[in-house]
């Protein structure tokens, strides 16, 4: 046993090039979902759907290392395709489903 756990916070496009090849056991990330959440520009970058984003992770992962990426229900397919196009093998998909959605600004009493 040895080593510790390090959590790196930042834009992966800036952090990944600073890491040594084969130095990471696992990558756990929650990239922007690409929904334009609340009109925020950071959620419109498309970084999660760009295979180059994920391809930059392959060299830093140790052999057998894992990637866990969270995605939105409406855009998960784009995320998974980008990860696969980058060279990763998709093995499993876990889903967290809940019965209450985010409140929407629509009145059902008003005509469409």
């Amino acid at each position: 046993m040895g080593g510790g756990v390090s959590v790196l916070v930042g834009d992966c496009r800036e952090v990944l090039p600073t890491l040594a090849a084969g130095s990471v056991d696992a990558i756990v990330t929650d990239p922007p979902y690409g929904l334009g959440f609340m009109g925020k520009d950071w959620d419109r970058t498309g970084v999660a759907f760009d295979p180059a984003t994920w391809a930059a992770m392959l060299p830093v992962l140790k052999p057998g290392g894992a990637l866990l990426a969270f995605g939105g229900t409406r855009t998960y397919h784009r995320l998974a395709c980008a990860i696969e196009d980058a060279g990763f093998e998709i093995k499993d998909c876990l889903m967290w489903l809940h019965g209450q959605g985010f409140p929407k600004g629509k009145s059902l009493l008003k005509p469409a």
Side-chain angles (χ1 to χ4, degrees), residues 29-109:
T29 183
D30 189 12
Y33 295 174
L35 300 171
F37 182 70
M38 296 182 69
K40 302 294 183 185
D41 288 338
W42 60 262
D43 198 31
R44 293 186 177 148
T45 65
V47 66
F49 312 140
D50 182 1
T53 299
W54 307 102
M57 296 179 191
L58 281 170
V60 302
L61 275 174
K62 291 179 180 176
L67 167 66
L68 175 64
F70 294 85
T73 54
R74 288 182 277 167
T75 55
Y76 166 78
H77 62 293
R78 295 185 187 278
L79 172 76
C81 286
I83 291 171
E84 190 173 50
D85 289 348
F88 283 93
E89 178 183 349
I90 306 292
K91 290 195 173 193
D92 294 304
C93 172
L94 302 174
M95 291 185 201
W96 174 56
L97 303 173
H98 55 92
Q100 295 177 327
F102 191 80
K104 308 295 188 278
K106 179 175 180 172
S107 171
L108 298 177
L109 301 175

